[in-house]
Amino acid sequence: MHTFSCVSYCIISLILEIKWQGVWFVTGTFDYDLVVIGGGSGGLACSKEGKCLSTKWGIGGTCVNVGCIPKKLMHQAALLGTALKDAQKYGWQVPGPISHDWRTMAEAVQNHIRSLNWGHRVQLQDKKVTYLNMKGRLVDEHTVQGLSKTGKETTLTAKNIVIATGGRPKYPTHVPGAIEHSITSDDIFWLKESPGKTLVVGASYVALECAGFLTGLGLDTTVMVRSVPLRGFDQQMAGLVTDYMEAYGTKFCWKSVPKRVAKLSCGKLQVTWTDRQTGQDQQDSFDSVLWAIGRAPETKTLNLEKVGIKLNKESGKILVGADESTSVPNIYAFGDIGEGRPELTPTAIKAGKLLARRLTGQSSELMNYDNVATTVFTPLEYGCVGLSEEEAESRHGKDSIEVYHAFYKPLEFTVAERDGSHCYIKVVCERGGDQRILGLHFTGPNAGEVTQGFAMGFRCGATMNHLKETVGIHPTCAEELTKVNISKRSGLDPTVTGC
Amino acid sequence: MSHYEEVKVHGYDEFCKAVSERKGKDIFAYFSGNKDDQGMSWCPDCVKAEPIVRGEMSHLPEGSVFIYCQVGERPYWKDPNNEFKKTLKLSGVPTLIRYGTPQKLVEEECFKADLVRMMFTED
């Protein structure tokens, strides 16, 4: 099958042939056993597992191109800036004022992304996955049509179809000037020049992570929040995250909504917004405006309604069953496109692998979406697994849960004279019986590394006893989780003292 | 007359010179251990890969450049500070790269004709 080269084309459909134990499955009636539309984290995993191929963007989807990977690298760039300042307290002779060159960082990050795109491409080819770089749409429940960059149409029939086209950032619909003059997370990682003084609209983790690293790189950054930060996350923890950001130089416009974006003759962007508390309009000028107000699924061009695939009216996402099935029997959907699914790379990858195994008859295991650990990579990182305190209260009742907590100070902060007052641990558990842990929350350095191991504890049904019986590694921040013993209910001071 | 230009070079300096003289062109480079007087390389993988790579060269893009570069003798190659390893970030021979891009095939990957063809034909 010919492959079409296409550097700038966005959405591509891919065809895959399932090869199982060296035997090509080609049914009598269909061209292929399985077609996967979409080539991000989910689509790639599904295709490689079931020998199917999927691509999006440069291969790798949101995660590789405009998400996790560049985000974490730029977050690291920002952390290194802070580390350079700390280094002086530790005796390093750092000459002169430290400045950051966006171009150097951007080129290095973008080169790494391209090497990942290539790596994926090689892997797909190596696993004999047929890759078609085209825009895909459904014709009927067994037919997929691909449109190449040159306008050539290809039609394929398949026994099963999997949709893993993910999501894209939303632009506001009622703010004049927004679409023409501003950017989203799709753009920030690919800028060749520094975004300068930036307004980030939104309070999702995308907004806070972007604002966080922009501040850390030395840029004048403002976050505009309509209501609450990190909706859906534990709100006490979200507050600690934003408090730290404010203390470290990120400006916040709370309870504000943008009204208008206008381009000034000098090239800057003038933003007018309404302060919802006072009702007054305010104005300021920025070099860049970044919208991080949510993500919408990629379904418009797929022709889903015609084929009868039911969507959630509000979100536009595909309604899916526990086995990733849609309302049409032989069509499946997973990853960010699925309604109610976490918008995370590892869950998409795992769900894709399990789906492929089920479709090729190798197993019947379903994806377990419970207790998935995540981390928000803001300047003060926040890792969590399980329920927020609010969710635990809502499900079990305040009297049936116990919340243990502690404010701790990372050892490394002491010599560096860093403010550790937002470093905090919270363990939410059942009040009675074995005190099964329902939720675990941690703000501090390397939160992702700290939280990962505790996620396994969740899988094993960890209880407070398990936690107390675990001997900590010293000196670390993670060990504070094994030492937590002050409950909120007791009202005692949760600040950790001593060694 | 083929649709691409083949350039044969020995060592890092000759390689850099060949590249700088062809700015703006689509340059593919194949790095191999030196061949002896009988035309046999000290690198057995290079011996295996070369016919496979050459077999796909008809698929090279129009107007592109193919640099065949002998890196040096075995002791030079084994030194972790040699210029190819330090500056070009090569990790092993044979290596096939598309200069200025992250596209590369290393060692056993060069044995796979379909991967070589993919590199020559895709953007």
Side-chain angles (χ1 to χ4, degrees), chain A residues 3-7 111 114-116 118 121-123 125-126 128 131 149, chain B residues 96 98 100-105 109 112 114-115 118-123:
Chain A
T3 52
F4 299 86
S5 67
C6 194
V7 174
N111 278 341
R114 288 191 199 99
S115 75
L116 290 179
W118 173 252
R121 184 69 196 92
V122 169
Q123 248 203 335
Q125 181 71 29
D126 217 25
K128 303 284 180 277
Y131 160 49
K149 189 170 78 164
Chain B
L96 179 65
R98 192 172 198 161
T101 79
Q103 291 183 26
K104 68 175 173 185
L105 296 175
E109 290 174 342
K112 299 175 185 174
D114 59 334
L115 289 182
M118 181 181 84
M119 183 191 255
F120 289 165
T121 56
E122 276 185 24
D123 271 336

Side-chain angles (χ1 to χ4, degrees), chain B residues 89-102:
Chain B
K89 310 276 188 278
L90 295 192
S91 56
V93 278
T95 293
L96 179 65
I97 66 168
R98 192 172 198 161
Y99 192 78
T101 79

